[in-house]
Amino acid sequence: SMPMADPASSQAQMLGYVENAANADKVKYKNFVAGSHCANCGLYQGKATDKIGGCPLFPGKNVSGEGWCSAWVKVV
Ligand code: SF4
């Protein structure tokens, strides 16, 4: 299985990725949508109920379903 994305990595820092959306920097990221998190992001490669899943912005890594980053997009 894939390792977890490291929130301290440069990619995570650039995207504002956190493992829990509650900790997203909502001052810096004014586009934060209430209730948004990785498991309901259009880029999440897991099922909405999966605790972890892939994300194309973190190749070879899993992200936390409860996580968040500034590239979050609504599932269409
Ligand atoms: Fe999570 Fe979506 Fe950001 Fe990937 S793009 S880290 S699934 S919020």
Side-chain angles (χ1 to χ4, degrees), residues 3-58:
M4 293 298 292
D6 180 359
S9 68
S10 56
Q11 175 75 342
Q13 295 286 308
M14 186 172 70
L15 291 168
Y17 170 74
V18 288
E19 291 189 318
N20 190 320
N23 298 326
D25 186 343
K26 290 148 189 135
V27 174
K28 182 172 182 180
Y29 300 111
K30 298 190 190 311
N31 62 329
F32 183 86
V33 175
S36 64
H37 54 101
C38 291
N40 64 19
C41 172
L43 297 181
Y44 192 59
Q45 295 175 332
K47 297 192 294 285
T49 51
D50 288 346
K51 298 279 188 211
I52 60 172
C55 171
L57 300 185
F58 293 94

